[in-house]
Amino acid sequence: MELTRFVAPPLFAMAFVVAACSPQGAGTEAAASAPPPGIRYEANIAAGGVAPPAAQIVKPPDTSADRATAGGGLFGTMNCDGCHGGGAPGWVGPSLIDGRWRYGGADEEVFSSIYYGRPKGMPAYGGVIGADGVWMIVAYLKAQSPPTVVPTTSYEGGTAAPTVAAPAAAASTSAAPTAPATPEQMISKYGCVACHAVDRKVIGPAFHDVAVKYKGKADAATQLVEKVRNGGAGVWGDIPMSPNPQVPDAQLRELVSWVLARG
């Protein structure tokens, strides 16, 4: 009985030897240098209601200027400039070119923020434009020159200096359509699907719910035209709706009529 107190079980002894012989911190350095894992955050809101798949983040080898140019087009199409301003200097949302990053500024970290979304209003775009589209936007953001004056003053509120004329910049980056478009094409072209769906809440309310809320109001169309054009907050919650000055007046009125008919 006295001897058994000093005899270690074989498995315990083996584990102790392996631990003692392993280099200090082995695996820690590799883990620190690895890109963040691809995780679909269930609590985040998905743009267009389409959740991105969970997958490992793999940076594409092609980082050409053409991909950055294509990313600039997606930045406008997905209405990113509606929150971050034309060229991403910051407006309702924070600047994406001033070198300050809440969730990290490495390419993989920026990808993760766009693909999987972030709390407090940043939707997940991975399900809508896919990994390649997100990498194009990352290339576009990384190609922008940092501003001489940092426009955002608060990460928490995303407030911007009053001198930043983001709506005008956003308007200049979006060309008016050259041919008539159906309302279904318009909600995609102007990025409405990033925040709305017809029959369910995404970031903003469902078009059906908007139609029901304004049904029977004589000035419903006028109110909604101004709301879409100028943006605002407080009607459907704290997350603000970004202004959309890039939508031509005739198409804006047609789009509002289509929304009001969804109820």
Side-chain angles (χ1 to χ4, degrees):
M1 291 293 295
E2 189 69 23
L3 286 176
T4 58
R5 200 182 306 174
F6 299 95
V7 178
L11 289 178
F12 176 82
M14 183 179 294
F16 179 83
V17 171
V18 170
C21 295
S22 298
Q24 182 69 26
T28 304
E29 183 177 348
S33 61
I39 302 172
R40 185 176 65 227
Y41 301 100
E42 300 295 343
N44 287 8
I45 298 170
V50 183
Q56 181 64 35
I57 298 173
V58 179
K59 186 176 180 181
D62 181 10
T63 57
S64 64
D66 288 342
R67 288 181 65 82
T69 300
L74 278 174
F75 192 84
T77 300
M78 289 292 103
N79 205 27
C80 306
D81 50 7
C83 285
H84 298 285
W91 191 45
V92 176
S95 171
L96 303 178
I97 60 173
D98 65 1
R100 302 189 304 163
W101 300 94
R102 177 182 286 274
Y103 299 102
D107 289 356
E108 291 83 359
E109 291 168 327
V110 178
F111 174 94
S112 185
S113 293
I114 300 171
Y115 192 89
Y116 295 110
R118 295 295 182 185
K120 300 183 180 180
M122 175 62 194
Y125 282 92
V128 176
I129 61 176
D132 197 49
V134 174
W135 279 121
M136 289 178 184
I137 293 179
V138 172
Y140 166 72
L141 295 176
K142 293 294 184 171
Q144 303 307 301
S145 300
T148 54
V149 177
V150 176
T152 50
T153 58
S154 169
Y155 279 117
E156 198 65 32
T159 55
T163 55
V164 178
S172 66
T173 60
S174 301
T178 56
T182 66
E184 290 82 357
Q185 292 171 328
M186 281 188 255
I187 63 173
S188 176
K189 177 178 179 61
Y190 296 120
C192 308
V193 294
C195 295
H196 301 277
V198 173
D199 56 356
R200 64 186 182 280
K201 174 180 171 60
V202 185
I203 296 174
F207 291 136
H208 168 77
D209 294 340
V210 174
V212 170
K213 185 179 182 68
Y214 285 88
K215 188 173 184 177
K217 293 185 178 181
D219 60 345
T222 301
Q223 287 186 40
L224 283 180
V225 164
E226 292 304 310
K227 181 76 171 180
V228 175
R229 179 184 291 117
N230 300 322
V235 178
W236 297 94
D238 295 331
I239 297 177
M241 176 177 180
S242 59
N244 295 273
Q246 77 278 16
V247 184
D249 288 344
Q251 291 200 341
L252 178 54
R253 288 192 293 271
E254 183 181 352
L255 186 55
V256 165
S257 297
W258 178 84
V259 170
L260 289 173
R262 299 308 98 192

